[in-house]
Amino acid sequence: MKVGLALGGGGVRGLAHICVLEALDELGLRPSIIAGTSMGAIVGALYASGMSGREIKERVKRHIILKDDTWHDVIEKRADLLKWFNVFSADFSRGGFINTQGFFKYLLSEIRRSTFEELEIPLLVIAADFWTAEEVVFETGDLLAPVQASMAVPGLFAPVCIAGRVLVDGGVVNLVPYEHLLERADVTVAVNASRRRSQNTKDVPSAMESVLGTFDIMQKAAFAEKMKYRKPDIYVRPEIQDVRLLEFSKIEEVFVQTAPAVEALKKQLAERYEERSARGDE
């Protein structure tokens, strides 16, 4: 059974994709193709490079202080914690608050692949052309620049220029790019880790929260419209509450809150496999 996996954006919430990858590994289902937007592109690139879901999670955990960590654990992690702290720097001159060059140099060392062709699993990375408002899909050539463009959240990260085009976060045009996989896999799994908006607050958002929140609203509206016309075979929507875009301190909460959706996914995949086996499909 060929599984196509679409991983959406969501900032820190997008690390929920790691739990989905762990579930696929547990079931022995290796995706035949992956499409990713923003954080989904990052996690997808790591996985397509040959890492397992567990390996990616362990790498993430090395760069944060966990609730159960002792002082000895923190001391052992100090080099990785400092590396994570130093990869981001302020950048107010190029259209963003944060310069991600350091992060992507670090990411390159983790992926150990520089082109799409070197990946073990075919990968599609989604970005948006700022000036034409068009979706841009990368699947050949240089890997890191498209991934960087895919997560360039407007106003937060600086845009990326590739082949004369000014590119920003792929979530602007395609939050969860599952439609690119529908004809290229037997079963398409789409994972949406975007924000779950609180219904019980009357608080006035800060300026940055207002901008990012509006971005979320636009993404949600566009995605809902797309889902009316053609849906993925399996839709995974983790119930992740009270985790903002860059709240890396809440990574553990993301993993915990994703668990019920992952269990439901495993059941759906098992059912699909049984159905195909009963029909005699491979």
Side-chain angles (χ1 to χ4, degrees), residues 6-9 14 17 34-48 104 107 111 116 119 123-127 143 146-151 170 177:
L7 305 176
H17 301 321
I34 301 171
T37 294
S38 200
M39 183 61 82
I42 295 174
V43 175
L46 290 167
Y47 192 74
F104 278 92
L107 183 62
I111 295 177
F116 284 90
L119 297 173
L123 174 70
L124 281 65
V125 170
I126 311 302
L143 174 63
V147 173
Q148 184 177 5
S150 184
M151 65 154 284

Side-chain angles (χ1 to χ4, degrees), residues 99-116:
N99 184 330
T100 56
Q101 290 296 327
F103 174 73
F104 278 92
K105 287 180 180 178
Y106 168 71
L107 183 62
L108 177 61
S109 69
E110 290 287 293
I111 295 177
R112 298 187 296 276
R113 302 287 190 276
S114 59
T115 68
F116 284 90

Side-chain angles (χ1 to χ4, degrees), residues 213-254:
T214 302
F215 186 50
D216 285 334
I217 293 171
M218 294 168 61
Q219 288 180 319
K220 182 177 180 181
F223 182 74
E225 191 66 23
K226 181 171 72 171
M227 287 280 282
K228 291 179 182 178
Y229 296 99
R230 195 169 184 187
K231 296 181 179 180
D233 297 300
I234 298 176
Y235 179 54
V236 183
R237 182 67 162 113
E239 294 282 346
I240 303 173
Q241 300 282 351
D242 301 320
V243 179
R244 292 186 174 90
L245 190 76
L246 296 177
E247 284 192 293
F248 285 96
S249 62
K250 294 186 176 181
I251 290 175
E252 280 189 286
E253 293 182 35
V254 170

Side-chain angles (χ1 to χ4, degrees), residues 70-71 73 112 140 154 169 190 215:
T70 64
W71 278 108
D73 295 325
R112 298 187 296 276
T140 61
D169 192 297
F215 186 50

